[in-house]
Amino acid sequence: MKETFDIEGMTCAACSARVQKAASGVDGVACANVNLLKNSMELDYDGAPETAAAVVEAIEKSGYGARRRAPRTSGTRAAEPAERPGAAAERAITEKRNQLVVSAIFSVPLFYVAMGPMFGWPQPPALAGEQGMMAAALTQLLLCAPILVANRHYFVTGFRTLAHRAPNMDSLIALGSAASAVWSVAQLYRMALGYGSGDLAAVHAAAHNLYFDSAGMILTLITLGKYFEARAKGRTTDAITALMDLAPKTATVLRDGSEVVVPVEDVAVGERVVVRAGEAVPVDGVVVEGSAAVDESAITGESVPAEKGVGARVTGATVSTSGWFVMEARAVGDDTTLAGIIRLVDEATSSKAPIERTADRIAGVFVPVVIAIAAVTLVAWTVVAGDFATALTHAISILVISCPCALGLATPTAIMVGTGRGAANGILIKSAEALETACRVDAVVLDKTGTVTAGSPVVTDVRLASGVGEKDLARVAGALERKSEHPLAAAVCAYVDERHPGADAPARVADFAQVPGGGLSATVDGVPALAGNARLMAVHGVRLEELAGSAEALAAEGKTALFFSLDGRALGMVAVADPVKPTSAAAVSRLRAMGVRTVLLTGDQEATAAAVARKVGVDEVIAGVLPAQKEEKVRELQRSGHVVAMVGDGINDAPALARADVGVAIGAGTDVAIGSADVVLMHSDPADVATAMELSRATMRNIRQNLFWALFYNAICIPVAAGALSPWGVTLNPMIGAAAMGFSSVFVVTNALRLRTWKPAKPQSAPAPADVHIESARKDTAMTRTLNVTGMMCQHCVAHVTKALEGVAGVSSVSVSLEDGTATVEAAEDVTDEVLVAAVVDAGYEAEVA
């Protein structure tokens, strides 16, 4: 069971590492992922309430707070709206701003009083000269005290975690600031004792060793950095916030015969909802009355509004641009499509990339090491220089300049912005690990149908016989095919309706019959008519002449030719095929430019696969594969050293999607495929495969920049703060160290925010495809059987028979011939002839063993 916990008190990577270690150590916990940026933890555990309570207790013992987040609900009524992702960030910004205002009000005069004499600035008479030294010291104490109080959380959290032997960034700040303040109070007593004993030299020495300004300015400058950091971090959730803003706040519901406007959370499954032009669809459902044009670009990326009539599914957050309809709510609350998208993005930003775990291990020991370095520096400088004040200055500088926070923010900020940019471009990345792995992909396996091609047949070519008009062909073709339930019939009818609407309306069709293995026969307005393949035309004495040559050329392109005749004379030929998507060739071209090998994997025959391959320009084609063989091909590529991404949309692609290093599902595909994938392309555009890889590479480049800065900053600044350059007169004031520490985190977050401006590369025109290697996945086996199949009329029939036989357990290869009307099956010995025949019959055809 997975559950989200809100964590309180975390300020740096050491905190998140400590919380994760505490939670992971509880019995019953399988995995804990702590997100510093979101102050949350994703816990995978056995689901027992006792385990959850033990996790909370373990975290609290570590010095932090933990609270179980209310679980998502689903069912008949929508859940209460979740808190906006930016709400916590807004509270953090307000809190830091208030602290900063109070700190700045007292820090400015504190700095003036403490540093003014050094810079020759005029001082108030009561604070100037020897007679004003004590008054100036007391003034510094009074100005410093409100700053310490306003920023007390650094001390509370810092010393608490120190007491639990889990020091964090607040511990470093608390130690540095407290040491400055305590040392200054001690010097204040020295001054009082000096005045009492008349030892003005001791008073002067103590006055020059006051560090109230350091104590106050350290806190002020760090708070200034934290304020800018909070503002920058707040912008990392913009993508999720934008998604949540798509959801409408109210819905018009029919109750007791009247329209009632209610909050969208009150809509229940089964209720009728009214949607007018210009309104957003509040929940997912089905149209039961009326019709409208609906803009679905927010979900699918399709800019042209889709026509929705009775029975059509509508998705929440889409917008009705015209018309009116009543819908029945089918999914509400967290069950809607939009909620699922938001949940995927949120879960991705909560997961950890492998590179982040390395940073966490470093952060886990960083703070104790820094404290140890500061202690050694204090002792060493005291012994070498004999001046405790100088030694303390170096130790405090080390404590306040060290920044584990930058190390902890380096990865999650970039991951959050990167996944947000992906969501904005219709690419849902399910985990940070998938985002990191995608940048290393060097081989992409593409399923053909529905991925590279549209997935539904359309008319691609029309050839007319001599002396025949297109409208005459359309009249007969429409009249015959409207009676047929064949998949190609719908494509022909769609062509007729688009090019010559109503052309076949007056035609009277009689004596309609399906010719097994041939096509259709009927009379149109009393005249004999035929529709089908060349064999049917030959049987009835119809001469095709030049149409036959055109058919052969189109067949080489993977298209199915349908001939039409009237009264024994050929009218023409219509070619039907599953068309290649417009962006497929450009997508393959972009992948090749990125150095990625592309492989087209399909269960279709070699001729069809080769035709598609020539159009898109893939490097390799493997035709005639079974679902299990797709997974085997992915495994084979991995064994040869490739990092493989598999792109598919069907149930048969699920094993290969799961096997691949990165599984990419087309958004229009099946739920099984989407569930098996690591990345979902909501726009169902193959070009988004290259876009996802470009985004991954940009994000990982940003993460490496952040990690380099975090490590480089500490590697340089800590030795300088320790006094390594003191022999050359270079020392570091604690105030400068505090400012550097605060702004190092700001730098990391700001660098991650640069990803907000990232855009996919512009598609380039696809070059001429290279020579394509084509092979068949069919293997020789011990048993080969041949079946005579009747009823097949086109390549789609061939595909149906092939699929039916491939579904029989033990079948390793199927080869179906439309011309011969046979199916050659290679199967294990225990597969009986009766089982094979039954599979073909169940698919709607007749079969017998040859």
Side-chain angles (χ1 to χ4, degrees):
M1 174 180 177
K2 290 187 177 181
E3 191 170 349
T4 303
F5 287 68
D6 292 314
I7 308 298
E8 299 172 353
M10 293 194 303
T11 56
C12 70
C15 299
S16 59
R18 181 66 179 176
V19 171
Q20 184 161 317
K21 182 178 180 181
S24 300
V26 175
D27 291 338
V29 173
C31 179
N33 280 325
V34 179
N35 190 297
L36 172 64
L37 195 63
K38 297 164 66 178
N39 289 315
S40 66
M41 175 180 68
E42 295 294 328
L43 189 72
D44 188 355
Y45 70 114
D46 57 15
E50 296 80 10
T51 304
V55 168
V56 171
E57 183 180 357
I59 293 173
E60 290 176 346
K61 284 183 178 179
S62 299
Y64 304 90
R67 176 172 52 85
R68 296 174 69 180
R69 188 176 294 177
R72 298 185 178 96
T73 60
S74 60
T76 59
R77 191 169 294 279
E80 289 298 315
E83 181 181 65
R84 290 169 53 86
E90 291 169 3
R91 289 196 299 269
I93 292 170
T94 302
E95 179 185 342
K96 292 300 176 187
R97 182 171 56 240
N98 294 339
Q99 291 175 7
L100 181 60
V101 169
V102 173
S103 299
I105 289 173
F106 292 96
S107 290
V108 172
L110 172 61
F111 183 81
Y112 188 92
V113 171
M115 303 299 292
M118 182 184 300
F119 294 110
W121 296 339
Q123 297 288 304
L127 307 180
E130 291 185 0
Q131 71 277 10
M133 283 192 295
M134 191 66 188
L138 289 172
T139 301
Q140 292 180 46
L141 172 63
L142 293 175
L143 291 172
C144 182
I147 301 174
L148 299 177
V149 173
N151 295 279
R152 60 189 177 277
H153 70 280
Y154 291 120
F155 301 98
V156 174
T157 304
F159 288 122
R160 184 179 64 215
T161 55
L162 195 59
H164 286 90
R165 293 181 295 177
N168 62 2
M169 184 198 69
D170 286 346
S171 302
L172 299 179
I173 298 170
L175 286 172
S177 183
S180 299
V182 170
W183 172 257
S184 299
V185 171
Q187 298 309 303
L188 197 60
Y189 275 97
R190 276 188 65 193
M191 292 177 67
L193 293 173
Y195 274 118
S197 62
D199 187 356
L200 291 180
V203 173
H204 274 284
H208 284 92
N209 283 330
L210 291 175
Y211 286 103
F212 285 121
D213 56 328
S214 292
M217 291 302 294
I218 284 172
L219 295 173
T220 301
L221 291 172
I222 287 175
T223 301
L224 176 63
K226 288 293 182 183
Y227 169 66
F228 284 121
E229 178 187 323
R231 289 185 57 183
K233 285 164 66 176
R235 293 166 64 191
T236 62
T237 61
D238 284 356
I240 299 178
T241 302
L243 286 172
M244 295 187 73
D245 286 342
L246 292 174
K249 304 298 183 289
T250 60
T252 304
V253 182
L254 291 175
R255 292 179 179 173
D256 299 326
S258 301
E259 295 185 5
V260 181
V261 178
V262 301
V264 72
E265 296 82 26
D266 290 344
V267 178
V269 172
E271 284 195 297
R272 300 292 176 96
V273 181
V274 179
V275 180
R276 295 181 172 83
E279 295 181 348
V281 179
V283 295
D284 294 359
V286 176
V287 177
V288 295
E289 182 183 352
S291 63
V294 179
D295 180 1
E296 298 180 313
S297 59
I299 302 297
T300 66
E302 176 58 54
S303 58
V304 179
E307 294 294 332
K308 301 290 184 179
V310 175
R313 297 187 64 85
V314 287
T315 305
T318 56
V319 179
S320 172
T321 58
S322 64
W324 170 95
F325 64 88
V326 178
M327 59 175 285
E328 180 181 305
R330 294 287 178 86
V332 300
D334 285 329
D335 293 334
T336 64
T337 300
L338 179 64
I341 294 173
I342 294 172
R343 186 160 55 249
L344 280 176
V345 176
D346 188 45
E347 288 174 355
T349 59
S350 298
S351 61
K352 285 185 183 288
I355 195 172
E356 186 176 358
R357 299 189 183 102
T358 302
D360 286 348
R361 285 194 292 271
I362 297 172
V365 298
F366 182 86
V367 175
V369 169
V370 168
I371 294 175
I373 293 173
V376 170
T377 300
L378 179 66
V379 173
W381 273 99
T382 302
V383 172
V384 173
D387 184 357
F388 185 77
T390 301
L392 184 64
T393 299
H394 287 302
I396 291 172
S397 296
I398 291 172
L399 291 171
V400 299
I401 203 171
S402 304
C403 188
C405 196
L407 196 62
L409 291 172
T411 301
T413 49
I415 291 292
M416 178 166 280
V417 179
T419 52
R421 287 303 299 160
N425 285 275
I427 302 169
L428 299 185
I429 301 169
K430 293 186 178 180
S431 70
E433 184 173 358
L435 184 63
E436 178 176 342
T437 305
C439 79
R440 297 185 285 109
V441 167
D442 58 7
V444 172
V445 178
L446 299 160
D447 175 55
K448 182 183 74 70
T449 306
T451 301
V452 174
T453 64
S456 57
V458 297
V459 172
T460 59
D461 301 87
V462 176
R463 300 286 188 272
L464 300 174
S466 178
V468 178
E470 186 179 359
K471 189 171 183 180
D472 296 329
L473 173 64
R475 184 179 74 87
V476 175
L480 290 173
E481 297 293 357
R482 289 194 198 281
K483 298 288 186 178
S484 174
E485 297 179 354
H486 195 277
L488 298 188
V492 174
C493 292
Y495 150 75
V496 172
D497 292 340
E498 179 182 355
R499 296 277 298 175
H500 301 283
D504 59 314
R508 291 177 289 104
V509 180
D511 303 322
F512 179 84
Q514 292 190 354
V515 181
L520 306 172
S521 68
T523 59
V524 177
D525 293 332
V527 180
L530 297 172
N533 55 26
R535 186 170 51 191
L536 176 68
M537 298 297 158
V539 168
H540 288 80
V542 178
R543 299 179 61 185
L544 298 178
E545 298 177 343
E546 70 275 5
L547 293 178
S550 298
E552 291 178 2
L554 292 171
E557 298 178 13
K559 300 176 181 179
T560 299
L562 299 176
F563 299 95
F564 295 89
S565 71
L566 185 68
D567 199 19
R569 176 172 176 254
L571 297 177
M573 175 194 66
V574 173
V576 181
D578 184 7
V580 172
K581 291 181 179 179
T583 58
S584 292
V588 171
S589 175
R590 285 172 63 190
L591 290 171
R592 182 182 292 117
M594 296 167 68
V596 177
R597 179 174 180 79
T598 52
V599 180
L600 185 67
L601 215 58
T602 177
D604 278 351
Q605 295 183 344
E606 292 179 25
T608 302
V612 173
R614 284 191 292 270
K615 290 180 180 179
V616 300
V618 294
D619 298 306
E620 181 181 0
V621 177
I622 303 177
V625 294
L626 300 176
Q629 291 174 313
K630 291 185 179 182
E631 190 266 349
E632 289 173 6
K633 181 58 182 177
V634 170
R635 192 195 300 264
E636 179 183 323
L637 286 169
Q638 290 172 327
R639 281 197 297 264
S640 62
H642 289 288
V643 179
V644 183
M646 171 69 195
V647 189
D649 70 328
I651 294 176
N652 61 342
D653 297 320
L657 289 170
R659 166 59 58 185
D661 297 286
V662 179
V664 182
I666 297 297
T670 64
D671 291 340
V672 174
I674 292 174
S676 301
D678 303 299
V679 179
V680 180
L681 308 181
M682 293 301 295
H683 297 171
S684 301
D685 187 348
D688 286 341
V689 178
T691 299
M693 292 179 60
E694 290 171 356
L695 175 62
S696 172
R697 294 182 180 186
T699 303
M700 292 309 300
R701 184 165 55 247
N702 190 280
I703 289 173
R704 293 188 186 99
Q705 292 168 352
N706 286 346
L707 288 175
F708 171 79
W709 166 255
L711 295 172
F712 173 80
Y713 162 83
N714 284 290
I716 295 298
C717 290
I718 291 178
V720 174
L725 301 181
S726 293
W728 295 274
V730 178
T731 58
L732 198 62
N733 187 287
M735 287 184 287
I736 298 176
M741 185 268 204
F743 282 93
S744 66
S745 298
V746 176
F747 174 87
V748 166
V749 177
T750 303
N751 187 50
L753 287 174
R754 289 192 308 110
L755 284 171
R756 286 160 46 99
T757 63
W758 175 88
K759 293 181 180 179
K762 292 183 179 179
Q764 301 176 351
S765 58
D771 291 337
V772 178
H773 170 68
I774 304 175
E775 65 178 78
S776 175
R778 314 214 184 273
K779 308 293 182 182
D780 291 333
T781 57
M783 295 291 295
T784 301
R785 262 78 58 89
T786 301
L787 304 180
N788 291 325
V789 182
T790 57
M792 295 190 297
M793 292 179 286
C794 67
Q795 292 297 332
H796 286 271
C797 295
V798 170
H800 291 159
V801 173
T802 301
K803 184 176 181 181
L805 290 170
E806 287 177 347
V808 176
V811 172
S812 57
S813 177
V814 178
S815 179
V816 180
S817 171
L818 177 64
E819 296 299 324
D820 298 335
T822 61
T824 302
V825 182
E826 297 173 352
E829 294 183 10
D830 57 351
V831 178
T832 63
D833 294 341
E834 290 76 12
V835 170
L836 298 175
V837 170
V840 176
V841 171
D842 289 342
Y845 304 88
E846 298 297 326
E848 62 180 6
V849 179

